[in-house]
Amino acid sequence: MDYSRISKAVDINLLKNTHIVGVGAGGAYCLYEALVRSGVGKLTVFDIDTVDDVNFCRQGFYPDQVGMNKVDALKEHLLRINPELDYVGITGNFINYTEWELNSIFGQADLFLFLTDSFQAQSFGNKLALKYQKPAIWGGFYEKSQCAEIVFYIPDISSMFILYRIN
């Protein structure tokens, strides 16, 4: 990919060597696309769901992807943008992973994204961010999209979680 249009705005070499682990592929579809377009080199995404027709109004999926695992549909899209992307899609529930499995995935990442509607997943993500001392972002909408929030943590910088609410 030719990054010359953004090379003065971002550190392309840093992004090419950045590994992001994300939980949730649906509502975060466009965020992953933007990350790949800006040069992120490795992306691991967890999601246990499949594409359904109710996803079209708010997620980037297409009718011919109904029934596919969301991580596989996302992979198709992202590799069309950047065929050199190192992408791993995982349909397992990371909450049930062994310590060794978590270490092999989260321990090697540079940034965690927890972008799911599961409180249990968001809470477990908090434990992982603190355990591995990695920067993390949590984002989500409440029921019927009446409110959204973004929370972030940066080790050695954030003394507490910062909450932004959009009503």
Side-chain angles (χ1 to χ4, degrees):
M1 269 174 75
D2 180 357
Y3 295 103
S4 61
R5 302 259 330 217
I6 62 170
S7 64
K8 293 186 185 200
V10 296
D11 184 337
I12 298 300
N13 288 327
L14 176 65
L15 286 172
K16 283 183 178 181
N17 292 301
T18 296
H19 178 199
I20 297 175
V21 175
V23 178
Y29 185 98
C30 293
L31 173 59
Y32 294 127
E33 177 181 331
L35 290 168
V36 170
R37 289 186 186 279
S38 55
V40 167
K42 184 170 184 178
L43 189 58
T44 301
V45 180
F46 286 86
D47 200 304
I48 58 175
D49 291 334
T50 57
V51 177
D52 194 353
D53 58 359
V54 298
N55 301 133
F56 304 147
C57 67
R58 60 185 181 82
Q59 299 173 4
F61 301 109
Y62 297 95
D64 65 331
Q65 295 176 316
V66 168
M68 287 181 71
N69 290 322
K70 286 185 177 179
V71 293
D72 295 334
L74 179 63
K75 177 181 181 176
E76 280 184 355
H77 180 68
L78 297 179
L79 291 179
R80 288 186 67 198
I81 296 166
N82 182 0
E84 296 176 10
L85 173 68
D86 183 354
Y87 177 90
V88 176
I90 303 172
T91 56
N93 187 339
F94 76 112
I95 292 171
N96 300 324
Y97 274 43
T98 66
E99 189 77 17
W100 183 89
E101 291 169 319
L102 292 171
N103 284 336
S104 68
I105 297 167
F106 288 89
Q108 306 306 312
D110 299 299
L111 172 67
F112 304 156
L113 301 175
F114 299 102
L115 309 165
T116 163
D117 56 7
S118 165
F119 177 78
Q120 187 181 19
Q122 300 291 75
S123 176
F124 191 74
N126 178 48
K127 292 176 184 177
L128 292 176
L130 293 172
K131 175 183 176 172
Y132 294 108
Q133 286 296 293
K134 302 284 182 157
I137 299 171
W138 293 260
F141 284 93
Y142 291 106
E143 186 177 358
K144 298 183 181 179
S145 298
Q146 295 297 311
C147 181
E149 69 181 19
I150 299 171
V151 179
F152 63 89
Y153 168 70
I154 304 169
D156 300 324
I157 295 176
S158 303
S159 60
M160 59 184 282
F161 289 101
I162 309 299
L163 174 65
Y164 289 96
R165 234 180 221 191
I166 305 163
N167 285 331

